Every structure is written in C-alpha cells, then in structure tokens.
Amino acid sequence: MPRFTAPVRLVPVEGAQHGFAVHEDPQYREPKSQEYQAFVIRTVTEWISRPE
C-alpha cells in the first residue's frame, strides 16, 4: 500500500550529485552550485504554485 497519496514527480538535476552543490562547495559559491540551487527552487516553486 502506498504511503503517500499526493502526486509526486522525480526531477533529475542534470550534472548534480546527491545534493544541490558541486563537490566540496557547502557555501554554494561555485556558479554551478548556484545554477543547481536556482533550478531546484524554480522547479519546486512551479510545482507548489500550479493550479489544482
């Protein structure tokens, strides 16, 4: 039996590893880390803002 009943969607972050920063960039100072983070924020914002 599924535990979640809300719609879900897996969105790969191309080029990112397990997190949303390049390796050894915990402060998100690398431009690629900032790009990954912006993509995730934009994607989540669009998902939660979509009309029912």
Side-chain angles (χ1 to χ4, degrees), residues 19-41:
F20 307 126
V22 296
H23 187 65
E24 297 185 16
D25 184 26
Q27 301 297 320
Y28 294 90
R29 292 188 177 141
E30 294 288 329
K32 206 64 173 166
S33 294
Q34 294 171 10
E35 180 183 324
Y36 297 152
Q37 188 178 37
F39 173 79
V40 170
I41 291 168

